[in-house]
Amino acid sequence: MDTFTKSQTRETLESVVIRFAGDSGDGMQLTGSQFTHTTALMGNDLATFPDFPAEIRAPAGTTYGVSGFQIHFGSQDVRTPGDAPDVLVAMNPAALITNLADLKPGGMLIVNTGAYTKGNLKKAGYEQSPLEDGSLSAYRVINLDIQAMTIAAVESFGLGTKDALRSKNLWTLGLVLWLFGREYEPTVAYLEQKFAKKPAIAQANIAALKAGHAYGETAELPSGIGPYEVPKAKLSPGLYRNITGNDALAWGLVAASQLSGLKLVLGSYPITPASTVLHSLANLKSFGVTTFQAEDEIAAVCAAVGASWGGAMGVTTTSGPGVALKAEAIGLAVMLELPLIVVDVQRGGPSTGLPTKTEQSDLLQAAYGRNGDSPLCVIAAATPGDCFYMAIEAARIAVKYMTPVMLLTDGYLANGAEPWKIPAMADLPQFKAKFVTERTEGFHPYLREDETLARPWAIPGTPGLEHRIGGLEKNYDSGNISYDPDNHHKMTKTRAAKIAGIANSVPEQEIEVGEATGDLLVVGWGSTYGAITMAVRRAREAGKSVSQVHLRHIVPFARGLDTLLRGFKRVIVPEMNNGMLVKMLRSEFLVDAIGVNKIAGQPFKVAEIENAIDSALENL
């Protein structure tokens, strides 16, 4: 217990939303991630939303260079990073003007006054300082010259002003850790490890961290601002760790490799926000993982197709622009009928679009974006932790049905974090890959042997099982090249039937929240899960007849979805695009579904979906 709390009682809060904001060079992502790590260790439930600028290094002090990190943590179930922050840490005027409108009235505002120079105010668009014109009177403001106090804290290390100021984020972190009863020891351990070869830098950062913490202990804070406490969440027993969606995805792919008995081969080309999957898997070579960073997207997917042809679990990771480039090779995998996992971590489009912002705008590309009738399975993860299990599901389907599977996540899931209960491998279902190893009366590579309509998988070079596959159409019986019109019709229908049959091996669609019939059904997919869940829960608590369905299997849709859709007077579909799932539902089930669309590069707020629910109910 720190010295301040020995004499003063901390106010207990059920949950808190904090947003750290500053220049992209101010270390806001590090500050947020370390606060998150410490909070996870203290047993709170949490959800995070890192928000990066698209520019690699925007001019310092400009609004388009602002980087933010929001964390929502609490003692109860936390599903979203929060609609609006209770606390805003603004490291410069640009961070303030960009984020102030989101801060709750009466919220706490921590301002780094040392950055409020005439030049910075002008770059942010302020005609006069907001610290002096009364525009911040609606908030509880802590004005601190963090820059000056950081320089004083690291003075003994002989750093120049520029190097000293690099520690100001750690000073700030120390203060916020103290305010909310967090320990600073986990960050000390992190800094010692990160700068093990530069001990002077490590010690300077640690000194700044401890100085910020000590300031909170000893300073007289403004009236109405004191220390707070957020009790531990009541999570089910088990071993937990804080995990991002991309890390969970990487681990899920490795688990799938173990469960299937296949070597994992990743062919990838770096692209935001998917690159960290490649980084994570490159560090897991001890599990038999092979990673190949190709010269471009096309080479990456072709390497993965080749790996599957050779008897491995071929995987390629990318985002929307990369999927477009990979389309021909994915179509080749459809024709070859090989298990291939394509991970699409979606971002804003079209073209280069919004590289660091989240969106769900690749759904139609995933379902239909190849030449010819090229059906494949499309599934989607709902939370960062769910990325682990959906990676396993993608591998299971790919191996069982000998088909490419596209797994959709997005930038919000990829970079967001949550506490994740680590499963035991023994509790995960195995799906061992089956290879043809012996010749009977002749090997036919496109022969369908069971109800899955999957073709046999033979590793090239197996004696007596030499065969030819390729991009040209094949004869249904012999596997030889065929231009026969009736055969092409039959093969096209067979490939479609195989994908449709995947619905037979996935659970029937169930209601996520609520009853199976009622006034309004809210249908979602992907990362809209948390916001929809909270909005539907609040609506039901208010006595409204609202239920929720969340889709993880999209091509094909899970059995039973048709019945659920028809059990409600109205169906709305919130998604971060201009209306893609809603088109598929209307086409497939002839249901009058209504789209609720947000295309801002930001995830839905709970209030936005609550408003959509109220509007839909009013118009029944």
Side-chain angles (χ1 to χ4, degrees):
M1 181 177 291
D2 58 59
T3 56
F4 190 98
T5 55
K6 287 179 180 178
S7 59
Q8 294 196 28
T9 302
R10 288 182 176 272
E11 179 183 350
T12 300
L13 302 175
E14 184 177 290
S15 66
V16 178
V17 179
I18 301 175
R19 183 181 298 174
F20 300 93
D23 258 332
S24 56
D26 283 343
M28 293 297 93
Q29 302 305 319
L30 172 64
T31 305
S33 62
Q34 284 304 304
F35 190 93
T36 299
H37 177 63
T38 302
T39 296
L41 289 174
M42 294 195 69
N44 295 123
D45 199 4
L46 62 89
T48 69
F49 178 51
D51 193 13
F52 307 94
E55 288 77 9
I56 294 174
R57 188 65 177 95
T62 58
T63 55
Y64 48 88
V66 172
S67 176
F69 189 107
Q70 184 162 305
I71 174 173
H72 180 195
F73 62 102
S75 58
Q76 304 295 327
D77 186 24
V78 173
R79 296 296 181 108
T80 76
D83 280 12
D86 302 292
V87 180
L88 172 62
V89 179
M91 297 299 287
N92 63 9
L96 181 65
I97 199 169
T98 303
N99 292 279
L100 186 62
D102 291 335
L103 183 62
K104 292 179 180 177
M108 185 190 302
L109 175 60
I110 300 175
V111 178
N112 172 27
T113 60
Y116 282 70
T117 64
K118 288 184 178 179
N120 281 344
L121 288 167
K122 182 177 181 180
K123 282 187 280 188
Y126 282 113
E127 294 183 0
Q128 57 182 325
S129 174
L131 307 183
E132 301 170 356
D133 63 6
S135 61
L136 304 181
S137 59
Y139 310 102
R140 294 177 294 151
V141 183
I142 304 178
N143 288 315
L144 301 170
D145 191 343
I146 294 173
Q147 297 182 180
M149 288 187 280
T150 301
I151 291 172
V154 302
E155 183 178 8
S156 62
F157 296 94
L159 301 175
T161 301
K162 183 178 180 180
D163 288 336
L165 287 177
R166 288 176 177 170
S167 299
K168 65 180 181 290
N169 63 321
L170 274 305
W171 194 99
T172 307
L173 175 61
L175 173 62
V176 180
L177 286 172
W178 177 83
L179 276 171
F180 293 95
R182 317 282 99 174
E183 305 287 347
Y184 61 64
E185 284 79 6
T187 302
V188 170
Y190 165 81
L191 292 169
E192 289 176 338
Q193 180 182 20
K194 179 177 178 63
F195 297 108
K197 296 182 180 179
K198 298 178 180 179
I201 299 297
Q203 292 307 310
N205 281 312
I206 291 169
L209 175 74
K210 291 183 176 179
H213 199 274
Y215 181 89
E217 292 178 355
T218 58
E220 184 175 345
L221 297 175
S223 177
I225 297 177
Y228 305 94
E229 177 185 16
V230 180
K232 291 183 178 181
K234 296 178 181 179
L235 303 173
S236 61
L239 179 63
Y240 285 81
R241 66 151 292 153
N242 189 48
I243 198 166
T244 65
N246 273 2
D247 279 341
L249 177 61
W251 293 359
L253 291 171
V254 173
S257 170
Q258 302 291 313
L259 295 167
S260 65
L262 298 172
K263 292 289 184 70
L264 174 60
V265 178
L266 173 72
S268 186
Y269 181 76
I271 183 172
T272 302
S275 298
T276 53
V277 180
L278 170 61
H279 303 163
S280 295
L281 287 174
N283 291 323
L284 297 173
K285 290 184 172 64
S286 59
F287 293 97
V289 176
T290 298
T291 55
F292 169 58
Q293 181 174 320
E295 66 269 27
D296 55 42
E297 295 281 7
I298 298 171
V301 66
C302 287
V305 172
S308 293
W309 161 238
M313 181 184 292
V315 182
T316 189
T317 53
T318 189
S319 190
V323 174
L325 291 167
K326 295 177 190 288
E328 183 179 1
I330 295 172
L332 174 63
V334 171
M335 182 63 88
L336 301 179
E337 298 191 45
L338 284 171
L340 172 70
I341 300 172
V342 180
V343 177
D344 178 4
V345 187
Q346 300 166 97
R347 71 191 207 189
S351 186
T352 311
L354 305 173
T356 61
K357 307 302 181 182
T358 194
E359 205 162 273
Q360 292 181 298
S361 57
D362 293 345
L363 181 58
L364 296 182
Q365 180 178 221
Y368 309 118
R370 293 160 297 282
N371 64 294
D373 286 293
S374 304
L376 52 71
C377 179
V378 179
I379 62 177
T383 69
D386 192 42
C387 291
F388 176 87
Y389 295 100
M390 295 311 290
I392 295 174
E393 176 69 349
R396 181 193 71 83
I397 293 172
V399 169
K400 180 173 182 177
Y401 289 88
M402 292 293 287
T403 179
V405 176
M406 193 170 296
L407 170 57
L408 299 177
T409 72
D410 58 44
Y412 173 37
L413 294 181
N415 298 312
E418 67 178 356
W420 178 64
K421 186 177 180 180
I422 301 174
M425 282 296 292
D427 295 335
L428 300 174
Q430 294 189 351
F431 50 94
K432 293 296 183 182
K434 298 178 181 178
F435 294 103
V436 179
T437 57
E438 296 181 358
R439 180 175 182 173
T440 53
E441 297 181 0
F443 179 63
H444 300 295
Y446 285 90
L447 186 66
R448 319 288 166 170
E449 296 183 341
D450 58 31
E451 71 281 355
T452 67
L453 298 178
R455 77 168 186 85
W457 197 4
I459 296 177
T462 304
L465 299 181
E466 296 84 0
H467 61 287
R468 177 175 60 186
I469 60 174
L472 293 173
E473 184 63 279
K474 304 300 185 297
N475 180 269
Y476 184 90
D477 297 311
S478 68
N480 294 328
I481 294 172
S482 173
Y483 294 100
D484 179 73
D486 292 337
N487 177 77
H488 178 55
H489 180 92
K490 183 175 183 180
M491 288 293 279
T492 300
K493 289 291 188 180
T494 300
R495 288 187 288 265
K498 181 174 71 168
I499 300 305
I502 293 172
N504 296 322
S505 72
V506 304
E508 286 196 27
Q509 187 66 57
E510 296 181 348
I511 291 289
E512 193 81 26
V513 177
E515 289 83 32
T517 58
D519 288 341
L520 179 66
L521 180 65
V522 186
V523 181
W525 67 280
S527 65
T528 58
Y529 175 74
I532 292 175
T533 299
M534 296 308 298
V536 171
R537 285 181 178 179
R538 292 177 186 177
R540 292 182 58 78
E541 288 170 0
K544 299 169 185 175
S545 178
V546 183
S547 298
Q548 174 193 6
V549 158
H550 206 78
L551 308 184
R552 286 175 172 83
H553 297 88
I554 301 177
V555 179
F557 291 117
R559 292 165 297 141
L561 178 58
D562 188 14
T563 301
L564 293 177
L565 292 172
R566 298 185 187 285
F568 293 83
K569 297 176 183 177
R570 178 149 295 177
V571 176
I572 63 172
V573 185
E575 47 185 336
M576 293 184 292
N577 57 48
N578 201 28
M580 295 191 177
L581 178 63
V582 71
K583 287 184 176 68
M584 296 176 69
L585 294 176
R586 292 171 70 95
S587 171
E588 182 78 14
F589 301 112
L590 301 180
V591 61
D592 188 20
I594 300 170
V596 178
N597 310 115
K598 183 175 183 178
I599 325 160
Q602 301 286 322
F604 273 103
K605 295 179 179 180
V606 178
E608 291 170 335
I609 297 178
E610 285 185 287
N611 291 337
I613 288 173
D614 290 342
S615 177
L617 290 174
E618 289 171 3
N619 293 316
L620 282 178

